[in-house]
Amino acid sequence: MAYPFQLGLQDATSPIMEELLHFHDHTLMIVFLISSLVLYIISLMLTTKLTHTSTMDAQEVETVWTILPAIILILIALPSLRILYMMDEINNPSLTVKTMGHQWYWSYEYTDYEDLNFDSYMIPTQELKPGELRLLEVDNRVVLPMEMTIRMLISSEDVLHSWAVPSLGLKTDAIPGRLNQTTLMATRPGLYYGQCSEICGSNHSFMPIVLEMVPLSYFETWSALMV
Amino acid sequence: MLHQIMGQAKKHPSLIPLFIFIEAGGTGAALYVLCLAMFNPDVSWDRKNNPEPWNKLGPNDQYKFYSVNVDDSELKNEGPDF
């Protein structure tokens, strides 16, 4: 989950998010280098008494500042495309979970083996227990087995919503009349928080998502209890 | 237009890398669109003889432009044959 004064992305819980973190580091480094170089050159230009008013032609520097940015852009584009294709890979999910967005809560259906349906509402601030996170906790968490590929089918029953869990690198729109699919794979157990990411009315900020990743045996016990 | 490009390049040789990158990018984009038009199973050119090519997909063919981890030739068809 996010913490106060956080500057970067949340810690990765899925392999794709790890790739995205490294890509973000790589690209941000390039951006910082370019920005500091430009700032330095601007400061030099503003603090010099030297002038040269008759420059007509600068072939060498123009060649350099054409080739270098092109190379930098290629160095950014290739990892980016690689991750893009990696996100779309076929990976044989072992479980399918459906989630429907409503105004203003999420409902989840685990229908592979039994008929398990429940709604997930945010816990209002007055009813929070000590230590719980404001505007992020829900009454029924989405319990899922960890280290297994899970197919999420996402849609909506009324208006546009978006099912997002930043720690897993997931954000998929919930569109009424359309079924969107994303795959989820958590490498470690824990609680992972997300919030609705498409404006959907007055309580758009108050319909969070909480994934509880647990070992498979705990998941089986939980789903037997919930049915 | 080629003559214009050659003329400008002779007068200002620093433009040569610019032309190279623009041509490479433009050719790459055009080739990718051509690839999609010819090989993408979502595209149907001949409505009489081949109306729905998206219904004739095999499990082993590679449809995407680039596969990072998955070796498409090892995929199998898990559904029923019909």
Side-chain angles (χ1 to χ4, degrees):
Chain A
M1 40 144 294
Y3 49 88
F5 302 109
Q6 175 177 346
L7 283 180
L9 299 166
Q10 294 184 18
D11 288 341
T13 308
S14 78
I16 293 280
M17 190 59 197
E18 285 172 36
E19 298 276 350
L20 285 170
L21 272 180
H22 296 316
F23 174 69
H24 178 259
D25 288 344
H26 163 79
T27 309
L28 195 61
M29 176 56 72
I30 295 176
V31 165
F32 280 157
L33 285 173
I34 296 175
S35 311
S36 42
L37 176 68
V38 170
L39 267 176
Y40 176 59
I41 293 178
I42 291 177
S43 69
L44 279 183
M45 290 206 278
L46 291 175
T47 54
T48 181
K49 290 202 175 59
L50 305 165
T51 54
H52 184 48
T53 52
S54 59
T55 306
M56 293 303 289
D57 185 52
Q59 296 301 313
E60 303 81 4
V61 63
E62 295 227 357
T63 316
V64 169
W65 71 37
T66 305
I67 296 184
L68 219 49
I71 294 177
I72 291 175
L73 286 176
I74 293 177
L75 283 181
I76 298 178
L78 289 179
S80 171
L81 288 172
R82 178 179 150 268
I83 298 181
L84 189 64
Y85 278 92
M86 211 187 276
M87 286 195 217
D88 270 348
E89 277 175 348
I90 306 161
N91 40 28
N92 285 329
S94 13
L95 180 66
T96 302
V97 178
K98 291 172 266 188
T99 172
M100 302 293 289
H102 308 256
Q103 278 176 316
W104 287 277
Y105 62 97
W106 294 95
S107 66
Y108 299 95
E109 301 167 35
Y110 296 62
T111 48
D112 278 346
Y113 301 104
E114 301 126 348
D115 203 359
L116 170 54
N117 288 315
F118 58 88
D119 296 336
S120 180
Y121 281 84
M122 182 185 88
I123 297 185
T125 309
Q126 287 97 318
E127 292 167 32
L128 285 173
K129 299 200 203 58
E132 287 188 335
L133 303 165
R134 188 180 70 95
L135 305 185
L136 282 176
E137 301 285 354
V138 296
D139 50 5
N140 296 317
R141 296 186 187 135
V142 189
V143 177
L144 291 170
M146 61 183 224
E147 293 179 341
M148 285 171 56
T149 317
I150 299 165
R151 173 189 288 121
M152 291 300 303
L153 294 173
I154 302 164
S155 183
S156 163
E157 297 263 15
D158 37 44
V159 297
L160 294 179
H161 300 272
S162 186
W163 199 80
V165 184
S167 183
L168 287 149
L170 296 175
K171 184 177 289 169
T172 311
D173 283 353
I175 300 169
R178 181 185 174 87
L179 196 59
N180 278 333
Q181 173 182 300
T182 187
T183 48
L184 202 159
M185 214 291 268
T187 51
R188 53 199 171 97
L191 291 174
Y192 304 106
Y193 293 86
Q195 294 174 288
C196 175
S197 301
E198 183 69 44
I199 187 89
C200 51
S202 56
N203 285 355
H204 155 69
S205 323
F206 308 115
M207 44 185 291
I209 297 141
V210 184
L211 297 183
E212 186 176 331
M213 310 302 299
V214 292
L216 184 57
S217 47
Y218 283 74
F219 171 70
E220 291 171 345
T221 323
W222 169 85
S223 67
L225 277 173
M226 289 287 285
V227 173
Chain B
M1 190 165 70
L2 203 53
H3 272 126
Q4 265 194 334
I5 294 179
M6 309 277 271
Q8 291 293 328
K10 282 202 197 89
K11 271 199 280 177
H12 302 278
S14 65
L15 284 174
I16 294 176
L18 182 68
F19 290 139
I20 294 177
F21 283 116
I22 293 183
E23 285 162 17
T27 317
L31 277 180
Y32 181 61
V33 170
L34 211 60
C35 225
L36 282 180
M38 291 201 295
F39 300 122
N40 190 355
D42 290 335
V43 165
S44 168
W45 290 106
D46 188 356
R47 271 206 264 181
K48 243 194 294 185
N49 296 334
N50 189 14
E52 291 177 355
W54 49 86
N55 276 334
K56 299 196 191 112
L57 306 181
N60 281 349
D61 306 337
Q62 181 173 342
Y63 295 108
K64 300 180 63 124
F65 189 64
Y66 169 50
S67 253
V68 185
N69 275 334
V70 181
D71 191 357
D72 281 321
S73 53
E74 288 172 24
L75 294 175
K76 288 190 282 292
N77 186 0
E78 291 169 31
D81 292 323
F82 62 94

